[in-house]
Amino acid sequence: MEYRNLGRTGVKVSEICLGCMMFGGRTDTEDSADIIDRAIDEGVNFLDTANVYSTGASEEAVGKALKRNGKRDAIVLATKVHGVMDEEDPNASGNHRRHIIEQCEASLIRLQVDYIDLYQIHRPDSQIPIDETLRALDDLIRAGKVRYVGTSTYAAWQLVEALWAAKELGLNRFVSEQPPYHLLDRRIERELVPFAQTYGVALIPWSPLAGGFLTGKYSRDESQSPEDSRYGIQPRRMGRNHFTDESFDVLEAVQAIAGEKGCTPGQVALAWCKDMPGITSPIIGPRTMEQLEDNLGTVEVALDENDHERLDAVAPPGRATVPYYEADFGPHPFRWG
């Protein structure tokens, strides 16, 4: 396992980040702890969750696992805030001070920790001025409850605005961004990657396997997804748009390279993502120990120039091979083009 700087901070994080979205939900607490232990044993020191994952249950599962193994101090622990935590409370969502402060306190309790290493704004909020958000986050840092702050699914222009505001107001700045990035969607290469490289912002891509599509579990001939798969359970969410001829062209290229290298398609797709310019640590989201083991095998896979040329031919740089459904994700900063 290699370790990379978390942007300009100097903090070292593993080249793979363990995403904990499934923990406390589809993956029960005991299995979640076993997966976390195994990942840490293999050198993963970067864990990412969010308050909205199973409405706090993911954070609780992560907290119990770190309490059990006693390795919290060696972990760079990340969580997020923004989403709705109480349907009946109009203030229980968004990027305003009240929600951020309230949810940070709640996350600390669920995670059973004294501080959060990386506290991230889960989505942009056009109704809240960026200085409102930054001041709340800055107060949390000064109070010792948060070490660093970041974002998820922000556009480059939004991050430039945030850096400008932080500099003007003397506030702590965002050090990382979590964008969607995989072989079916390479739009961040246009502006976000150059921005990150210029300003020293870590890129922590989510869904590097396109929600499991690039693992090879689906084929052109299947009219329905496997029942226990993500798309089988939630076919409209995060993937209905993947099932196109262009997407399967990409998948078949990935499968061909995997066959030549004696590894799995998922390992090829993840290796491609983690070693692209500007990328710090893609987030894996295993539901089972078997999936984790497959993801961890990625560190032994290396792609050469010819592999990249073959993948570029079916997945052109800077472009997406699938349409984006705003109804599935909400407003998306990369939706134009």
Side-chain angles (χ1 to χ4, degrees), residues 124 151-164 174 177 179 187-199 201 203 332-334:
T151 58
S152 176
T153 321
Y154 272 56
W157 71 266
Q158 292 170 316
L159 291 167
V160 169
E161 178 192 31
L163 292 187
W164 174 83
F174 292 130
E177 155 61 16
R187 283 173 289 180
I188 69 166
E189 296 170 1
R190 302 178 192 173
E191 294 185 356
L192 189 63
V193 171
F195 157 82
Q197 292 174 311
T198 300
Y199 292 100
V201 172
L203 291 180
H332 193 300
F334 313 127

PDB file of all heavy atoms in Angstrom, residues 124 151-164 174 177 179 187-199 201 203 332-334:
ATOM      1  N   PRO A 124     -22.993  20.928  -2.737  1.00  0.00           N
ATOM      2  CA  PRO A 124     -23.126  22.389  -2.731  1.00  0.00           C
ATOM      3  C   PRO A 124     -24.545  22.783  -2.338  1.00  0.00           C
ATOM      4  O   PRO A 124     -25.481  21.997  -2.470  1.00  0.00           O
ATOM      5  CB  PRO A 124     -22.834  22.779  -4.190  1.00  0.00           C
ATOM      6  CG  PRO A 124     -22.184  21.588  -4.810  1.00  0.00           C
ATOM      7  CD  PRO A 124     -22.708  20.391  -4.086  1.00  0.00           C
ATOM      8  N   THR A 151     -14.910  19.022   0.531  1.00  0.00           N
ATOM      9  CA  THR A 151     -16.195  19.093  -0.161  1.00  0.00           C
ATOM     10  C   THR A 151     -16.445  17.794  -0.920  1.00  0.00           C
ATOM     11  O   THR A 151     -15.556  16.953  -1.061  1.00  0.00           O
ATOM     12  CB  THR A 151     -16.224  20.259  -1.162  1.00  0.00           C
ATOM     13  OG1 THR A 151     -15.148  20.077  -2.108  1.00  0.00           O
ATOM     14  CG2 THR A 151     -16.071  21.596  -0.466  1.00  0.00           C
ATOM     15  N   SER A 152     -17.654  17.675  -1.437  1.00  0.00           N
ATOM     16  CA  SER A 152     -18.000  16.546  -2.301  1.00  0.00           C
ATOM     17  C   SER A 152     -18.923  17.023  -3.408  1.00  0.00           C
ATOM     18  O   SER A 152     -19.933  17.693  -3.153  1.00  0.00           O
ATOM     19  CB  SER A 152     -18.697  15.440  -1.493  1.00  0.00           C
ATOM     20  OG  SER A 152     -19.109  14.381  -2.343  1.00  0.00           O
ATOM     21  N   THR A 153     -18.549  16.685  -4.642  1.00  0.00           N
ATOM     22  CA  THR A 153     -19.343  16.986  -5.834  1.00  0.00           C
ATOM     23  C   THR A 153     -19.512  18.486  -6.048  1.00  0.00           C
ATOM     24  O   THR A 153     -20.591  18.962  -6.408  1.00  0.00           O
ATOM     25  CB  THR A 153     -20.707  16.267  -5.785  1.00  0.00           C
ATOM     26  OG1 THR A 153     -20.531  14.967  -5.239  1.00  0.00           O
ATOM     27  CG2 THR A 153     -21.286  16.085  -7.184  1.00  0.00           C
ATOM     28  N   TYR A 154     -18.463  19.225  -5.814  1.00  0.00           N
ATOM     29  CA  TYR A 154     -18.409  20.658  -6.136  1.00  0.00           C
ATOM     30  C   TYR A 154     -17.764  20.837  -7.509  1.00  0.00           C
ATOM     31  O   TYR A 154     -16.896  20.064  -7.907  1.00  0.00           O
ATOM     32  CB  TYR A 154     -17.557  21.401  -5.118  1.00  0.00           C
ATOM     33  CG  TYR A 154     -18.299  21.892  -3.886  1.00  0.00           C
ATOM     34  CD1 TYR A 154     -19.008  21.007  -3.083  1.00  0.00           C
ATOM     35  CD2 TYR A 154     -18.287  23.235  -3.541  1.00  0.00           C
ATOM     36  CE1 TYR A 154     -19.679  21.445  -1.950  1.00  0.00           C
ATOM     37  CE2 TYR A 154     -18.946  23.687  -2.401  1.00  0.00           C
ATOM     38  CZ  TYR A 154     -19.646  22.794  -1.618  1.00  0.00           C
ATOM     39  OH  TYR A 154     -20.315  23.229  -0.500  1.00  0.00           O
ATOM     40  N   ALA A 155     -18.162  21.873  -8.210  1.00  0.00           N
ATOM     41  CA  ALA A 155     -17.526  22.239  -9.478  1.00  0.00           C
ATOM     42  C   ALA A 155     -16.280  23.071  -9.194  1.00  0.00           C
ATOM     43  O   ALA A 155     -16.134  23.655  -8.112  1.00  0.00           O
ATOM     44  CB  ALA A 155     -18.499  23.034 -10.342  1.00  0.00           C
ATOM     45  N   ALA A 156     -15.404  23.137 -10.178  1.00  0.00           N
ATOM     46  CA  ALA A 156     -14.160  23.885  -9.989  1.00  0.00           C
ATOM     47  C   ALA A 156     -14.429  25.343  -9.648  1.00  0.00           C
ATOM     48  O   ALA A 156     -13.766  25.924  -8.778  1.00  0.00           O
ATOM     49  CB  ALA A 156     -13.296  23.776 -11.245  1.00  0.00           C
ATOM     50  N   TRP A 157     -15.419  25.960 -10.301  1.00  0.00           N
ATOM     51  CA  TRP A 157     -15.684  27.380 -10.035  1.00  0.00           C
ATOM     52  C   TRP A 157     -16.176  27.590  -8.609  1.00  0.00           C
ATOM     53  O   TRP A 157     -15.861  28.615  -7.984  1.00  0.00           O
ATOM     54  CB  TRP A 157     -16.690  27.949 -11.028  1.00  0.00           C
ATOM     55  CG  TRP A 157     -18.113  27.475 -10.885  1.00  0.00           C
ATOM     56  CD1 TRP A 157     -18.720  26.452 -11.534  1.00  0.00           C
ATOM     57  CD2 TRP A 157     -19.115  28.038 -10.010  1.00  0.00           C
ATOM     58  NE1 TRP A 157     -20.029  26.317 -11.136  1.00  0.00           N
ATOM     59  CE2 TRP A 157     -20.300  27.286 -10.208  1.00  0.00           C
ATOM     60  CE3 TRP A 157     -19.129  29.090  -9.085  1.00  0.00           C
ATOM     61  CZ2 TRP A 157     -21.482  27.549  -9.502  1.00  0.00           C
ATOM     62  CZ3 TRP A 157     -20.305  29.365  -8.393  1.00  0.00           C
ATOM     63  CH2 TRP A 157     -21.466  28.597  -8.606  1.00  0.00           C
ATOM     64  N   GLN A 158     -16.926  26.637  -8.079  1.00  0.00           N
ATOM     65  CA  GLN A 158     -17.402  26.757  -6.703  1.00  0.00           C
ATOM     66  C   GLN A 158     -16.241  26.667  -5.715  1.00  0.00           C
ATOM     67  O   GLN A 158     -16.222  27.350  -4.687  1.00  0.00           O
ATOM     68  CB  GLN A 158     -18.429  25.667  -6.408  1.00  0.00           C
ATOM     69  CG  GLN A 158     -19.734  25.836  -7.182  1.00  0.00           C
ATOM     70  CD  GLN A 158     -20.643  24.626  -7.072  1.00  0.00           C
ATOM     71  OE1 GLN A 158     -20.182  23.487  -7.180  1.00  0.00           O
ATOM     72  NE2 GLN A 158     -21.932  24.859  -6.874  1.00  0.00           N
ATOM     73  N   LEU A 159     -15.271  25.832  -6.016  1.00  0.00           N
ATOM     74  CA  LEU A 159     -14.107  25.684  -5.151  1.00  0.00           C
ATOM     75  C   LEU A 159     -13.191  26.904  -5.229  1.00  0.00           C
ATOM     76  O   LEU A 159     -12.613  27.319  -4.229  1.00  0.00           O
ATOM     77  CB  LEU A 159     -13.355  24.411  -5.512  1.00  0.00           C
ATOM     78  CG  LEU A 159     -14.110  23.126  -5.149  1.00  0.00           C
ATOM     79  CD1 LEU A 159     -13.472  21.920  -5.812  1.00  0.00           C
ATOM     80  CD2 LEU A 159     -14.152  22.937  -3.637  1.00  0.00           C
ATOM     81  N   VAL A 160     -13.072  27.486  -6.422  1.00  0.00           N
ATOM     82  CA  VAL A 160     -12.283  28.714  -6.551  1.00  0.00           C
ATOM     83  C   VAL A 160     -12.916  29.824  -5.717  1.00  0.00           C
ATOM     84  O   VAL A 160     -12.230  30.574  -5.008  1.00  0.00           O
ATOM     85  CB  VAL A 160     -12.171  29.133  -8.027  1.00  0.00           C
ATOM     86  CG1 VAL A 160     -11.594  30.544  -8.139  1.00  0.00           C
ATOM     87  CG2 VAL A 160     -11.299  28.158  -8.797  1.00  0.00           C
ATOM     88  N   GLU A 161     -14.248  29.923  -5.781  1.00  0.00           N
ATOM     89  CA  GLU A 161     -14.954  30.914  -4.966  1.00  0.00           C
ATOM     90  C   GLU A 161     -14.694  30.681  -3.480  1.00  0.00           C
ATOM     91  O   GLU A 161     -14.459  31.620  -2.716  1.00  0.00           O
ATOM     92  CB  GLU A 161     -16.459  30.847  -5.239  1.00  0.00           C
ATOM     93  CG  GLU A 161     -17.270  31.816  -4.382  1.00  0.00           C
ATOM     94  CD  GLU A 161     -18.760  31.548  -4.439  1.00  0.00           C
ATOM     95  OE1 GLU A 161     -19.164  30.387  -4.600  1.00  0.00           O
ATOM     96  OE2 GLU A 161     -19.527  32.526  -4.299  1.00  0.00           O
ATOM     97  N   ALA A 162     -14.709  29.407  -3.070  1.00  0.00           N
ATOM     98  CA  ALA A 162     -14.485  29.069  -1.658  1.00  0.00           C
ATOM     99  C   ALA A 162     -13.063  29.419  -1.223  1.00  0.00           C
ATOM    100  O   ALA A 162     -12.851  29.924  -0.115  1.00  0.00           O
ATOM    101  CB  ALA A 162     -14.761  27.586  -1.428  1.00  0.00           C
ATOM    102  N   LEU A 163     -12.080  29.157  -2.084  1.00  0.00           N
ATOM    103  CA  LEU A 163     -10.698  29.498  -1.742  1.00  0.00           C
ATOM    104  C   LEU A 163     -10.529  31.013  -1.621  1.00  0.00           C
ATOM    105  O   LEU A 163      -9.812  31.517  -0.734  1.00  0.00           O
ATOM    106  CB  LEU A 163      -9.737  28.938  -2.791  1.00  0.00           C
ATOM    107  CG  LEU A 163      -9.593  27.425  -2.877  1.00  0.00           C
ATOM    108  CD1 LEU A 163      -8.476  27.060  -3.850  1.00  0.00           C
ATOM    109  CD2 LEU A 163      -9.319  26.803  -1.519  1.00  0.00           C
ATOM    110  N   TRP A 164     -11.169  31.736  -2.520  1.00  0.00           N
ATOM    111  CA  TRP A 164     -11.097  33.205  -2.475  1.00  0.00           C
ATOM    112  C   TRP A 164     -11.716  33.730  -1.185  1.00  0.00           C
ATOM    113  O   TRP A 164     -11.143  34.577  -0.499  1.00  0.00           O
ATOM    114  CB  TRP A 164     -11.827  33.795  -3.685  1.00  0.00           C
ATOM    115  CG  TRP A 164     -11.913  35.294  -3.637  1.00  0.00           C
ATOM    116  CD1 TRP A 164     -10.965  36.196  -4.025  1.00  0.00           C
ATOM    117  CD2 TRP A 164     -13.023  36.059  -3.137  1.00  0.00           C
ATOM    118  NE1 TRP A 164     -11.409  37.475  -3.798  1.00  0.00           N
ATOM    119  CE2 TRP A 164     -12.659  37.421  -3.270  1.00  0.00           C
ATOM    120  CE3 TRP A 164     -14.264  35.725  -2.612  1.00  0.00           C
ATOM    121  CZ2 TRP A 164     -13.513  38.455  -2.869  1.00  0.00           C
ATOM    122  CZ3 TRP A 164     -15.117  36.749  -2.222  1.00  0.00           C
ATOM    123  CH2 TRP A 164     -14.748  38.093  -2.351  1.00  0.00           C
ATOM    124  N   PHE A 174     -10.793  24.728   2.202  1.00  0.00           N
ATOM    125  CA  PHE A 174     -11.026  23.334   1.838  1.00  0.00           C
ATOM    126  C   PHE A 174      -9.720  22.722   1.340  1.00  0.00           C
ATOM    127  O   PHE A 174      -8.985  23.341   0.568  1.00  0.00           O
ATOM    128  CB  PHE A 174     -12.082  23.224   0.738  1.00  0.00           C
ATOM    129  CG  PHE A 174     -13.477  23.609   1.168  1.00  0.00           C
ATOM    130  CD1 PHE A 174     -14.232  24.498   0.423  1.00  0.00           C
ATOM    131  CD2 PHE A 174     -14.029  23.058   2.313  1.00  0.00           C
ATOM    132  CE1 PHE A 174     -15.515  24.851   0.811  1.00  0.00           C
ATOM    133  CE2 PHE A 174     -15.319  23.406   2.711  1.00  0.00           C
ATOM    134  CZ  PHE A 174     -16.068  24.302   1.963  1.00  0.00           C
ATOM    135  N   GLU A 177     -11.635  17.436  -2.274  1.00  0.00           N
ATOM    136  CA  GLU A 177     -12.904  17.371  -2.989  1.00  0.00           C
ATOM    137  C   GLU A 177     -13.160  15.917  -3.394  1.00  0.00           C
ATOM    138  O   GLU A 177     -12.251  15.211  -3.826  1.00  0.00           O
ATOM    139  CB  GLU A 177     -12.872  18.265  -4.231  1.00  0.00           C
ATOM    140  CG  GLU A 177     -13.819  17.906  -5.365  1.00  0.00           C
ATOM    141  CD  GLU A 177     -15.310  17.938  -5.024  1.00  0.00           C
ATOM    142  OE1 GLU A 177     -15.675  18.523  -3.994  1.00  0.00           O
ATOM    143  OE2 GLU A 177     -16.097  17.363  -5.796  1.00  0.00           O
ATOM    144  N   PRO A 179     -15.177  13.967  -6.039  1.00  0.00           N
ATOM    145  CA  PRO A 179     -15.999  14.007  -7.252  1.00  0.00           C
ATOM    146  C   PRO A 179     -16.371  12.601  -7.716  1.00  0.00           C
ATOM    147  O   PRO A 179     -15.683  11.628  -7.396  1.00  0.00           O
ATOM    148  CB  PRO A 179     -15.058  14.643  -8.264  1.00  0.00           C
ATOM    149  CG  PRO A 179     -13.713  14.069  -7.885  1.00  0.00           C
ATOM    150  CD  PRO A 179     -13.749  13.904  -6.365  1.00  0.00           C
ATOM    151  N   ARG A 187     -15.498  13.633 -16.905  1.00  0.00           N
ATOM    152  CA  ARG A 187     -15.654  15.075 -17.093  1.00  0.00           C
ATOM    153  C   ARG A 187     -14.812  15.922 -16.149  1.00  0.00           C
ATOM    154  O   ARG A 187     -14.487  17.074 -16.468  1.00  0.00           O
ATOM    155  CB  ARG A 187     -17.131  15.454 -16.957  1.00  0.00           C
ATOM    156  CG  ARG A 187     -17.954  15.102 -18.197  1.00  0.00           C
ATOM    157  CD  ARG A 187     -19.433  15.318 -17.982  1.00  0.00           C
ATOM    158  NE  ARG A 187     -19.977  14.317 -17.059  1.00  0.00           N
ATOM    159  CZ  ARG A 187     -21.259  14.287 -16.697  1.00  0.00           C
ATOM    160  NH1 ARG A 187     -22.103  15.188 -17.153  1.00  0.00           N
ATOM    161  NH2 ARG A 187     -21.690  13.342 -15.880  1.00  0.00           N
ATOM    162  N   ILE A 188     -14.424  15.400 -14.998  1.00  0.00           N
ATOM    163  CA  ILE A 188     -13.635  16.220 -14.072  1.00  0.00           C
ATOM    164  C   ILE A 188     -12.258  16.544 -14.634  1.00  0.00           C
ATOM    165  O   ILE A 188     -11.586  17.465 -14.144  1.00  0.00           O
ATOM    166  CB  ILE A 188     -13.489  15.562 -12.689  1.00  0.00           C
ATOM    167  CG1 ILE A 188     -12.597  14.315 -12.763  1.00  0.00           C
ATOM    168  CG2 ILE A 188     -14.840  15.250 -12.079  1.00  0.00           C
ATOM    169  CD1 ILE A 188     -12.152  13.815 -11.390  1.00  0.00           C
ATOM    170  N   GLU A 189     -11.843  15.817 -15.671  1.00  0.00           N
ATOM    171  CA  GLU A 189     -10.533  16.075 -16.261  1.00  0.00           C
ATOM    172  C   GLU A 189     -10.481  17.423 -16.977  1.00  0.00           C
ATOM    173  O   GLU A 189      -9.397  17.956 -17.225  1.00  0.00           O
ATOM    174  CB  GLU A 189     -10.177  14.952 -17.235  1.00  0.00           C
ATOM    175  CG  GLU A 189     -10.014  13.595 -16.566  1.00  0.00           C
ATOM    176  CD  GLU A 189      -9.901  12.443 -17.551  1.00  0.00           C
ATOM    177  OE1 GLU A 189      -9.924  12.698 -18.779  1.00  0.00           O
ATOM    178  OE2 GLU A 189      -9.800  11.293 -17.098  1.00  0.00           O
ATOM    179  N   ARG A 190     -11.640  17.978 -17.293  1.00  0.00           N
ATOM    180  CA  ARG A 190     -11.665  19.258 -18.012  1.00  0.00           C
ATOM    181  C   ARG A 190     -11.195  20.422 -17.135  1.00  0.00           C
ATOM    182  O   ARG A 190     -10.318  21.195 -17.529  1.00  0.00           O
ATOM    183  CB  ARG A 190     -13.082  19.559 -18.500  1.00  0.00           C
ATOM    184  CG  ARG A 190     -13.692  18.526 -19.413  1.00  0.00           C
ATOM    185  CD  ARG A 190     -15.099  18.960 -19.762  1.00  0.00           C
ATOM    186  NE  ARG A 190     -15.867  17.900 -20.404  1.00  0.00           N
ATOM    187  CZ  ARG A 190     -17.155  17.985 -20.685  1.00  0.00           C
ATOM    188  NH1 ARG A 190     -17.820  19.086 -20.375  1.00  0.00           N
ATOM    189  NH2 ARG A 190     -17.783  16.983 -21.263  1.00  0.00           N
ATOM    190  N   GLU A 191     -11.808  20.562 -15.965  1.00  0.00           N
ATOM    191  CA  GLU A 191     -11.514  21.718 -15.123  1.00  0.00           C
ATOM    192  C   GLU A 191     -11.122  21.351 -13.691  1.00  0.00           C
ATOM    193  O   GLU A 191     -10.239  21.977 -13.120  1.00  0.00           O
ATOM    194  CB  GLU A 191     -12.720  22.663 -15.082  1.00  0.00           C
ATOM    195  CG  GLU A 191     -13.049  23.310 -16.407  1.00  0.00           C
ATOM    196  CD  GLU A 191     -14.179  24.317 -16.286  1.00  0.00           C
ATOM    197  OE1 GLU A 191     -14.760  24.448 -15.184  1.00  0.00           O
ATOM    198  OE2 GLU A 191     -14.482  24.981 -17.288  1.00  0.00           O
ATOM    199  N   LEU A 192     -11.783  20.361 -13.104  1.00  0.00           N
ATOM    200  CA  LEU A 192     -11.557  20.061 -11.698  1.00  0.00           C
ATOM    201  C   LEU A 192     -10.152  19.527 -11.433  1.00  0.00           C
ATOM    202  O   LEU A 192      -9.500  19.928 -10.466  1.00  0.00           O
ATOM    203  CB  LEU A 192     -12.604  19.068 -11.189  1.00  0.00           C
ATOM    204  CG  LEU A 192     -12.605  18.843  -9.671  1.00  0.00           C
ATOM    205  CD1 LEU A 192     -12.952  20.138  -8.928  1.00  0.00           C
ATOM    206  CD2 LEU A 192     -13.586  17.747  -9.284  1.00  0.00           C
ATOM    207  N   VAL A 193      -9.675  18.627 -12.274  1.00  0.00           N
ATOM    208  CA  VAL A 193      -8.330  18.079 -12.066  1.00  0.00           C
ATOM    209  C   VAL A 193      -7.266  19.168 -12.202  1.00  0.00           C
ATOM    210  O   VAL A 193      -6.393  19.296 -11.325  1.00  0.00           O
ATOM    211  CB  VAL A 193      -8.055  16.893 -13.022  1.00  0.00           C
ATOM    212  CG1 VAL A 193      -6.587  16.491 -12.951  1.00  0.00           C
ATOM    213  CG2 VAL A 193      -8.950  15.708 -12.676  1.00  0.00           C
ATOM    214  N   PRO A 194      -7.302  20.002 -13.260  1.00  0.00           N
ATOM    215  CA  PRO A 194      -6.318  21.094 -13.322  1.00  0.00           C
ATOM    216  C   PRO A 194      -6.416  22.045 -12.131  1.00  0.00           C
ATOM    217  O   PRO A 194      -5.399  22.514 -11.618  1.00  0.00           O
ATOM    218  CB  PRO A 194      -6.667  21.810 -14.625  1.00  0.00           C
ATOM    219  CG  PRO A 194      -7.326  20.758 -15.464  1.00  0.00           C
ATOM    220  CD  PRO A 194      -8.102  19.921 -14.498  1.00  0.00           C
ATOM    221  N   PHE A 195      -7.632  22.325 -11.690  1.00  0.00           N
ATOM    222  CA  PHE A 195      -7.809  23.170 -10.497  1.00  0.00           C
ATOM    223  C   PHE A 195      -7.108  22.549  -9.293  1.00  0.00           C
ATOM    224  O   PHE A 195      -6.364  23.218  -8.563  1.00  0.00           O
ATOM    225  CB  PHE A 195      -9.299  23.359 -10.194  1.00  0.00           C
ATOM    226  CG  PHE A 195      -9.571  23.714  -8.764  1.00  0.00           C
ATOM    227  CD1 PHE A 195      -9.447  25.026  -8.329  1.00  0.00           C
ATOM    228  CD2 PHE A 195      -9.905  22.734  -7.838  1.00  0.00           C
ATOM    229  CE1 PHE A 195      -9.650  25.354  -6.983  1.00  0.00           C
ATOM    230  CE2 PHE A 195     -10.122  23.049  -6.508  1.00  0.00           C
ATOM    231  CZ  PHE A 195      -9.987  24.367  -6.079  1.00  0.00           C
ATOM    232  N   ALA A 196      -7.376  21.256  -9.056  1.00  0.00           N
ATOM    233  CA  ALA A 196      -6.819  20.573  -7.888  1.00  0.00           C
ATOM    234  C   ALA A 196      -5.300  20.556  -7.927  1.00  0.00           C
ATOM    235  O   ALA A 196      -4.633  20.749  -6.905  1.00  0.00           O
ATOM    236  CB  ALA A 196      -7.369  19.152  -7.797  1.00  0.00           C
ATOM    237  N   GLN A 197      -4.742  20.313  -9.108  1.00  0.00           N
ATOM    238  CA  GLN A 197      -3.289  20.276  -9.236  1.00  0.00           C
ATOM    239  C   GLN A 197      -2.677  21.661  -9.014  1.00  0.00           C
ATOM    240  O   GLN A 197      -1.584  21.785  -8.468  1.00  0.00           O
ATOM    241  CB  GLN A 197      -2.904  19.744 -10.614  1.00  0.00           C
ATOM    242  CG  GLN A 197      -3.247  18.270 -10.817  1.00  0.00           C
ATOM    243  CD  GLN A 197      -2.998  17.802 -12.235  1.00  0.00           C
ATOM    244  OE1 GLN A 197      -3.431  18.438 -13.208  1.00  0.00           O
ATOM    245  NE2 GLN A 197      -2.307  16.690 -12.383  1.00  0.00           N
ATOM    246  N   THR A 198      -3.385  22.692  -9.434  1.00  0.00           N
ATOM    247  CA  THR A 198      -2.883  24.059  -9.290  1.00  0.00           C
ATOM    248  C   THR A 198      -2.914  24.536  -7.845  1.00  0.00           C
ATOM    249  O   THR A 198      -1.970  25.172  -7.362  1.00  0.00           O
ATOM    250  CB  THR A 198      -3.709  25.023 -10.163  1.00  0.00           C
ATOM    251  OG1 THR A 198      -3.597  24.629 -11.539  1.00  0.00           O
ATOM    252  CG2 THR A 198      -3.214  26.463 -10.018  1.00  0.00           C
ATOM    253  N   TYR A 199      -3.985  24.210  -7.131  1.00  0.00           N
ATOM    254  CA  TYR A 199      -4.189  24.757  -5.793  1.00  0.00           C
ATOM    255  C   TYR A 199      -3.934  23.758  -4.666  1.00  0.00           C
ATOM    256  O   TYR A 199      -4.204  24.059  -3.503  1.00  0.00           O
ATOM    257  CB  TYR A 199      -5.607  25.328  -5.681  1.00  0.00           C
ATOM    258  CG  TYR A 199      -5.808  26.550  -6.542  1.00  0.00           C
ATOM    259  CD1 TYR A 199      -6.452  26.456  -7.765  1.00  0.00           C
ATOM    260  CD2 TYR A 199      -5.321  27.791  -6.137  1.00  0.00           C
ATOM    261  CE1 TYR A 199      -6.625  27.575  -8.570  1.00  0.00           C
ATOM    262  CE2 TYR A 199      -5.490  28.915  -6.934  1.00  0.00           C
ATOM    263  CZ  TYR A 199      -6.138  28.800  -8.156  1.00  0.00           C
ATOM    264  OH  TYR A 199      -6.302  29.911  -8.954  1.00  0.00           O
ATOM    265  N   VAL A 201      -5.294  20.736  -3.955  1.00  0.00           N
ATOM    266  CA  VAL A 201      -6.490  20.137  -3.372  1.00  0.00           C
ATOM    267  C   VAL A 201      -6.502  18.635  -3.671  1.00  0.00           C
ATOM    268  O   VAL A 201      -6.301  18.219  -4.820  1.00  0.00           O
ATOM    269  CB  VAL A 201      -7.767  20.794  -3.931  1.00  0.00           C
ATOM    270  CG1 VAL A 201      -9.023  20.058  -3.474  1.00  0.00           C
ATOM    271  CG2 VAL A 201      -7.825  22.261  -3.509  1.00  0.00           C
ATOM    272  N   LEU A 203      -7.992  15.049  -4.464  1.00  0.00           N
ATOM    273  CA  LEU A 203      -9.180  14.508  -5.134  1.00  0.00           C
ATOM    274  C   LEU A 203      -9.395  13.083  -4.645  1.00  0.00           C
ATOM    275  O   LEU A 203      -8.515  12.232  -4.758  1.00  0.00           O
ATOM    276  CB  LEU A 203      -9.010  14.525  -6.660  1.00  0.00           C
ATOM    277  CG  LEU A 203      -8.995  15.914  -7.306  1.00  0.00           C
ATOM    278  CD1 LEU A 203      -8.824  15.790  -8.814  1.00  0.00           C
ATOM    279  CD2 LEU A 203     -10.265  16.689  -6.977  1.00  0.00           C
ATOM    280  N   HIS A 332     -26.126  18.601 -10.357  1.00  0.00           N
ATOM    281  CA  HIS A 332     -24.767  18.101 -10.566  1.00  0.00           C
ATOM    282  C   HIS A 332     -23.939  19.194 -11.237  1.00  0.00           C
ATOM    283  O   HIS A 332     -24.311  19.710 -12.283  1.00  0.00           O
ATOM    284  CB  HIS A 332     -24.838  16.874 -11.469  1.00  0.00           C
ATOM    285  CG  HIS A 332     -23.568  16.088 -11.505  1.00  0.00           C
ATOM    286  ND1 HIS A 332     -22.377  16.607 -11.925  1.00  0.00           N
ATOM    287  CD2 HIS A 332     -23.308  14.794 -11.172  1.00  0.00           C
ATOM    288  CE1 HIS A 332     -21.434  15.680 -11.879  1.00  0.00           C
ATOM    289  NE2 HIS A 332     -21.974  14.583 -11.416  1.00  0.00           N
ATOM    290  N   PRO A 333     -22.815  19.593 -10.620  1.00  0.00           N
ATOM    291  CA  PRO A 333     -22.029  20.685 -11.182  1.00  0.00           C
ATOM    292  C   PRO A 333     -21.395  20.379 -12.526  1.00  0.00           C
ATOM    293  O   PRO A 333     -20.939  21.270 -13.209  1.00  0.00           O
ATOM    294  CB  PRO A 333     -20.948  20.930 -10.121  1.00  0.00           C
ATOM    295  CG  PRO A 333     -20.845  19.650  -9.384  1.00  0.00           C
ATOM    296  CD  PRO A 333     -22.233  19.080  -9.384  1.00  0.00           C
ATOM    297  N   PHE A 334     -21.346  19.095 -12.924  1.00  0.00           N
ATOM    298  CA  PHE A 334     -20.726  18.734 -14.200  1.00  0.00           C
ATOM    299  C   PHE A 334     -21.790  18.414 -15.255  1.00  0.00           C
ATOM    300  O   PHE A 334     -21.500  17.807 -16.261  1.00  0.00           O
ATOM    301  CB  PHE A 334     -19.819  17.522 -14.020  1.00  0.00           C
ATOM    302  CG  PHE A 334     -18.914  17.616 -12.834  1.00  0.00           C
ATOM    303  CD1 PHE A 334     -18.870  16.599 -11.896  1.00  0.00           C
ATOM    304  CD2 PHE A 334     -18.131  18.741 -12.622  1.00  0.00           C
ATOM    305  CE1 PHE A 334     -18.059  16.700 -10.785  1.00  0.00           C
ATOM    306  CE2 PHE A 334     -17.310  18.834 -11.520  1.00  0.00           C
ATOM    307  CZ  PHE A 334     -17.274  17.816 -10.606  1.00  0.00           C
TER     308      PHE A 334
END
